[in-house]
Amino acid sequence: MGPQSTNVETPRLAAAKIGNDVGLLLAKLHAMGSVLNNRALSDFGLRERSFSVLTLACSGLEPTQRELADFLSLDPSQVVSLVDDLEHRGLVERAQGKQDRRAKIIVSTAEGRRIHTKARAALEVCEQTQLAALSEEENAQLRALLKKALWG
Amino acid sequence: MGPQSTNVETPRLAAAKIGNDVGLLLAKLHAMGSVLNNRALSDFGLRERSFSVLTLACSGLEPTQRELADFLSLDPSQVVSLVDDLEHRGLVERAQGKQDRRAKIIVSTAEGRRIHTKARAALEVCEQTQLAALSEEENAQLRALLKKALWG
DNA sequence: TACGGATCATTGAAAAAGTCAATGATTGTT
DNA sequence: AACAATCATTGACTTTTTCAATGATCCGTA
């Protein structure tokens, strides 16, 4: 089955003290979610990565590619590929930076926003599936803790 | 800066509603942690993956390679490579499965346990760094939520 | 103003990781 | 005994990641 599996049986190995390793817990939960997310996003020709870029492009924050790279923890060259793809499909556009002419600002097209809205709805179903074991309150708590860990 | 960066400045993009996307939050925190972890583990010739395998090998749970693959969300062929590497360096050994002679049980050597203890200590420093923004209680809470989300 | 070092997007090459199908040994089931 | 299923392994293949080099542009400083 491999990395794609969504098998959620409780493995006896969870007993190992590795089950307290935050790094591994994050990796596992992320891996599990990625499978679900990418599966759902494939209906829109998107993957987690390109969806994230599209989301930022739709945010109105007018991110530069450098900012996208920083925020998404990607190499700048990876952002080039992702934006290339989205641009070819008419979902985003490169605009010239306002203060800095080296920078390119990524903005969504109307079609991009249309796709994004639908994809986002599909993803919310995935999140519910992924965090089904958590109550609504715990769900919010998890989000808050992750955000706090990231940005204080 | 790319995926390697440990720059933790609060980016203005965090304002985007993507900041509520659990998948992205997990990806980011995981990516950030991986950089720190792999950097620390390189002193021992390990990476996150091989450390995880070593941890399970040291756990006394006598995991088979198949169990390692399932638990770590890896393809079985990836486990072969990881165990090959650890075995060549004398940190683990392949033992014959007890009920099933097809399966190989991965057990640690004395040297493996020695390295693991030291590596584990180094990783705990990383975790503290990564989760510096969280209180001790929140830290435990995060672990608990992640574990609950994974296996209820 | 002009120089010099730094930053941006981009390219392309190289390394690493992930995916997948096929295989021999072994298991459990009919 | 025969059959399908499972385990570890191999090898081919694709994708992702990493890294250095490049031209354009920005900024600080002389």
Side-chain angles (χ1 to χ4, degrees), chain B residues 67-136:
Chain B
E67 287 177 312
L68 291 175
D70 290 350
F71 186 71
L72 299 173
S73 299
L74 296 174
D75 188 87
S77 63
Q78 295 178 279
V79 175
V80 170
S81 301
L82 289 165
V83 172
D84 278 353
D85 177 55
L86 291 173
E87 191 176 38
H88 288 143
R89 289 159 51 202
L91 305 183
V92 306
E93 283 172 353
R94 284 173 162 95
Q96 189 161 108
K98 295 180 174 171
Q99 311 94 334
D100 188 338
R101 280 186 304 168
R102 288 168 303 180
K104 309 274 181 68
I105 285 174
I106 308 306
V107 294
S108 59
T109 63
E111 172 69 0
R113 288 186 288 279
R114 209 177 60 75
I115 297 281
H116 177 254
T117 301
K118 294 166 73 173
R120 172 129 203 106
L123 276 196
E124 260 154 37
V125 175
C126 291
E127 271 190 15
Q128 285 186 324
T129 304
Q130 191 188 3
L131 303 182
L134 301 185
S135 71
E136 202 53 48

Side-chain angles (χ1 to χ4, degrees), chain A residues 114-151:
Chain A
R114 209 177 60 77
I115 296 280
H116 176 255
T117 301
K118 295 166 72 173
R120 173 132 203 103
L123 276 195
E124 260 153 39
V125 175
C126 291
E127 271 190 15
Q128 284 186 323
T129 304
Q130 190 188 5
L131 303 181
L134 301 185
S135 71
E136 202 53 51
E137 190 187 347
E138 289 169 326
N139 191 316
Q141 216 169 27
L142 176 60
R143 270 176 236 262
L145 286 172
L146 291 173
K147 287 168 82 167
K148 185 166 183 185
L150 279 168
W151 304 302

Side-chain angles (χ1 to χ4, degrees), chain B residues 1-68:
Chain B
M1 58 179 197
Q4 325 270 37
S5 170
T6 315
N7 182 353
V8 283
E9 71 182 274
T10 301
R12 70 187 186 87
L13 297 191
K17 55 183 176 305
I18 201 173
N20 280 317
D21 182 321
V22 169
L24 185 71
L25 292 172
L26 289 172
K28 261 196 86 64
L29 197 54
H30 174 224
M32 183 179 298
S34 287
V35 175
L36 297 171
N37 290 338
N38 285 325
R39 192 176 293 160
L41 288 172
S42 71
D43 293 345
F44 308 97
L46 295 171
R47 314 209 61 214
E48 268 192 334
R49 289 280 168 76
S50 44
F51 174 79
S52 297
V53 171
L54 183 56
T55 300
L56 272 313
C58 291
S59 69
L61 294 172
E62 307 199 330
T64 66
Q65 293 188 194
R66 161 60 62 179
E67 287 177 312
L68 291 175

Side-chain angles (χ1 to χ4, degrees), chain A residues 3-4 65-66 77 80 94 102 104:
Chain A
Q4 323 271 37
Q65 294 189 193
R66 162 61 61 180
S77 62
V80 171
R94 284 173 161 96
R102 289 169 304 179
K104 310 271 181 69

Side-chain angles (χ1 to χ4, degrees), chain A residues 59-115:
Chain A
S59 69
L61 295 171
E62 307 199 332
T64 67
Q65 294 189 193
R66 162 61 61 180
E67 288 176 311
L68 291 175
D70 289 351
F71 187 72
L72 300 174
S73 298
L74 296 174
D75 188 87
S77 62
Q78 295 178 278
V79 175
V80 171
S81 302
L82 289 166
V83 172
D84 278 352
D85 176 56
L86 291 173
E87 192 176 40
H88 288 144
R89 288 159 51 203
L91 305 183
V92 306
E93 282 172 353
R94 284 173 161 96
Q96 188 160 112
K98 296 183 171 169
Q99 311 94 335
D100 189 339
R101 278 185 304 165
R102 289 169 304 179
K104 310 271 181 69
I105 285 174
I106 308 306
V107 294
S108 59
T109 63
E111 172 69 359
R113 289 185 288 279
R114 209 177 60 77
I115 296 280

